Amino acid sequence: MVRVITPDRIVWDAPAEEVILPATSGQLGILTNHAPLLTAIGNGVMRVKAGGKWSAIAVMGGFAEVENNEVTVLVNRAERGEQVDKAAAQALLEKANQVLNTSSDKQERLQAKLDQQRARALLQAAEMGSKS
């Protein structure tokens, strides 16, 4: 069973054969009977294989716990690839890139870096979602 939960909704709650998580230490594959695990999740794309078909979910920072063949992913934000608004994600990326190229304000640049990571994860999930 795999659950992806954000503060305001459940994004995924279904059985799965395999999960690939964007852990802060790198990509982490989870199969049936995986050892118990707690890991930090970065900004990136989580992939879930259910019914022989892969789905992509853009996730933004949080934690994942693996125990007793259950994977629970608690993240700040998540969006399934097929639900991503590609135009909005592209606009976010372009705005973040513009701020990074023109601003010298540390706070603005930090927020732009986070927006850039989020936009790239959304676009990647959308691309993967359209191929599944």
Side-chain angles (χ1 to χ4, degrees), residues 2 8 12 21 28 44 54 61 65 80 88 95 98 101 106 121:
V2 177
D8 60 343
W12 183 281
L21 299 171
L28 179 63
W54 285 97
E65 178 185 42
R80 291 177 66 154
K95 182 179 177 195
Q98 180 182 12
N101 288 330
K106 285 184 179 183

Side-chain angles (χ1 to χ4, degrees), residues 9-40:
R9 65 191 174 111
I10 296 172
V11 177
W12 183 281
D13 188 5
E17 298 96 49
E18 186 175 352
V19 177
I20 300 174
L21 299 171
T24 54
S25 58
Q27 297 291 307
L28 179 63
I30 308 292
L31 296 170
T32 303
N33 297 321
H34 195 284
L37 172 76
L38 182 62
T39 188

Side-chain angles (χ1 to χ4, degrees), residues 71-121:
V71 179
T72 304
V73 180
L74 304 171
V75 289
N76 295 317
R77 299 174 104 166
E79 193 73 41
R80 291 177 66 154
E82 66 270 11
Q83 296 173 340
V84 169
D85 180 340
K86 292 180 200 175
Q90 187 64 44
L92 179 63
L93 179 61
E94 289 169 7
K95 182 179 177 195
N97 288 339
Q98 180 182 12
V99 169
L100 288 170
N101 288 330
T102 60
S103 179
S104 60
D105 181 85
K106 285 184 179 183
Q107 194 64 29
E108 276 185 355
R109 289 182 60 80
L110 178 60
Q111 183 59 52
K113 264 291 202 203
L114 293 172
D115 288 346
Q116 187 183 53
Q117 290 174 355
R118 180 171 171 252
R120 285 181 176 158

Side-chain angles (χ1 to χ4, degrees), residues 118-132:
R118 180 171 171 252
R120 285 181 176 158
L122 287 166
L123 291 168
Q124 186 179 7
E127 183 64 27
M128 290 175 171
S130 67
K131 291 181 179 178
S132 57

Side-chain angles (χ1 to χ4, degrees), residues 47-76:
R47 290 170 290 190
V48 181
K49 185 177 183 182
K53 185 176 175 186
W54 285 97
S55 295
I57 304 170
V59 293
M60 312 302 150
F63 295 91
E65 178 185 42
V66 179
E67 191 169 34
N68 297 325
N69 287 322
E70 290 191 8
V71 179
T72 304
V73 180
L74 304 171
V75 289
N76 295 317

